[in-house]
Amino acid sequence: MFKAILIDKQDGQQQVGLETLDESRLPEGDVTVRVDYSTLNYKDALAITGKGPVVRTFPMVPGIDLVGTVESSTSDAYVPGDAVLLNGWGVGEAHWGGLAEKARLDSRWLIPLPSAFTPAQAMAIGTAGYTAMLSVMALEQQGVTPDQGEVLVTGANGGVGSYAIALLARLGYRVVASTGRLEEADYLEGLGAERVIDRAELSEPGRPLAKERWAGVVDSVGSHTLANALAGTRYGGTVTACGLAQGMDLPASVAPFILRGVTLAGIDSVMRPYADRVAAWRRLGELLVPEKLDAITRTIALEETIETANELLAGRIRGRVVVAIQAPSRP
């Protein structure tokens, strides 16, 4: 038996609760993992509250991240006792996820837990930090360098935004943080933001082209914010897009692309190939320091997950939420 957050639907109404389940209910997979930690991401909160069409099949255990120890395996890649990490791959959407004491998974979705991090630290980073690292790597690959000017980070108080600021600042970029919570300016500057602006500067309908301001952008917001970020990006700059907190629409024009040569780079973290995942986590191990993780992270128990999901969608949580599933299996 194991505990899990279980989402179900009956008569068209979603129900969610903390349940005790028999291990025989776990889905198919060649590796069974004892989950030590998971996380609560924006996508998880949408799934738990039913405020977004995240869950594809019912019943579902949410949780797009997990770290834990292999209990049993029929895969040649992992043996019992291995510490493993998972981000994405449709887990928590189409396949039971990490907000449970046990998970049965496809071994191809896993990577070894990086030696630079403890299980708790890996989940403090989670999909948010991993996505932020992929975004920063995309800026680097497009030739955006610290000497070219300011880099904008939207949704700065969120998990992706917080990590993007910390990573960019560590690499020497001058970071401008856009947020709707200006009272968190000290927090954002502590992560490395050079200055903080009100998201209202970017969240309303704007012009096809605006004053050139940004050498690069990490956007997790979408909609008018992304359109205005594109309009304000300097000639030859790059904007990465990885989220939709404001909306899925993009009310923009082609002007930034054909008149300024701006690149819009889409960042998908869910189906990313194994090699990209390992490379991103290696860079995270090189760049992040424990003090930054502590500043970004709040830890809760599995029993607190549903209430905290509502807080997250209400905009009352900054940074990352780590869910301690049970006592960790290693330091």
Side-chain angles (χ1 to χ4, degrees):
M1 305 296 287
F2 66 99
K3 292 181 180 179
I5 301 294
L6 190 71
I7 304 170
D8 209 344
K9 183 173 281 190
Q10 295 185 4
D11 300 324
Q13 297 295 313
Q14 178 167 305
Q15 301 172 342
V16 59
L18 179 63
E19 306 285 346
T20 299
L21 305 174
D22 190 275
E23 192 169 332
S24 63
R25 295 191 63 182
L26 287 169
E28 293 184 0
D30 57 356
V31 175
T32 301
V33 175
R34 177 184 183 270
V35 182
D36 292 331
Y37 293 93
S38 186
T39 60
L40 184 65
N41 295 279
Y42 186 77
K43 184 181 286 187
D44 300 320
L46 289 174
I48 289 168
T49 61
K51 293 182 178 179
V54 172
V55 177
R56 301 179 207 167
T57 60
F58 294 90
M60 178 58 57
V61 173
I64 64 173
D65 290 327
L66 67 85
V67 66
T69 305
V70 174
E71 281 195 340
S72 62
S73 172
T74 58
S75 165
D76 293 336
Y78 299 100
V79 298
D82 284 347
V84 292
L85 169 67
L86 181 143
N87 308 112
W89 287 114
V91 169
E93 303 172 65
H95 188 98
W96 283 19
L99 288 169
E101 292 176 331
K102 290 182 185 290
R104 186 166 293 141
L105 306 158
D106 188 320
S107 59
R108 294 172 296 181
W109 302 340
L110 304 171
I111 67 170
L113 176 66
S115 60
F117 302 114
T118 66
Q121 289 171 340
M123 285 295 94
I125 298 165
T127 285
Y130 155 62
T131 303
M133 189 73 255
L134 291 172
S135 299
V136 172
M137 291 168 68
L139 293 180
E140 292 176 327
Q141 290 160 5
Q142 291 296 325
V144 179
T145 56
D147 62 336
Q148 292 176 349
E150 294 178 327
V151 174
L152 173 69
V153 175
T154 68
N157 272 298
V160 173
S162 295
Y163 275 106
I165 293 167
L167 292 165
L168 288 163
R170 184 71 187 276
L171 288 165
Y173 292 87
R174 291 185 289 126
V175 183
V176 177
S178 168
T179 180
R181 289 183 278 169
L182 293 177
E183 68 275 12
E184 298 285 5
D186 288 346
Y187 162 74
L188 298 172
E189 290 168 357
L191 293 176
E194 190 170 275
R195 59 191 182 95
V196 178
I197 63 173
D198 193 325
R199 71 180 178 197
E201 293 187 30
L202 300 166
S203 60
E204 299 299 325
R207 294 178 296 174
L209 279 179
K211 179 182 177 181
E212 295 182 62
R213 303 173 69 183
W214 323 115
V217 179
V218 174
D219 177 69
S220 60
V221 177
S223 192
H224 291 292
T225 297
L226 176 55
N228 287 321
L230 287 163
T233 297
R234 297 171 62 176
Y235 189 92
T238 296
V239 177
T240 66
C242 65
L244 45 74
Q246 186 178 10
M248 289 188 67
D249 59 321
L250 181 55
S253 79
V254 298
F257 310 118
I258 64 175
L259 297 179
R260 291 186 182 161
V262 171
T263 296
L264 176 58
I267 305 298
D268 169 61
S269 62
V270 176
M271 306 301 290
R272 204 76 176 202
Y274 180 90
D276 289 356
R277 293 169 182 268
V278 172
W281 278 95
R282 185 185 68 249
R283 291 290 305 282
L284 287 163
E286 295 167 354
L287 294 172
L288 290 177
V289 293
E291 291 77 11
K292 296 294 185 186
L293 301 182
D294 293 341
I296 292 169
T297 306
R298 166 185 174 185
T299 301
I300 64 171
L302 183 61
E303 292 78 5
E304 301 173 86
T305 303
I306 297 171
E307 179 182 354
T308 308
N310 285 285
E311 290 183 47
L312 194 156
L313 292 188
R316 295 195 293 269
I317 292 176
R318 72 182 188 193
R320 294 283 293 152
V321 178
V322 172
V323 183
I325 305 296
Q326 53 197 335
S329 58
R330 54 176 274 180

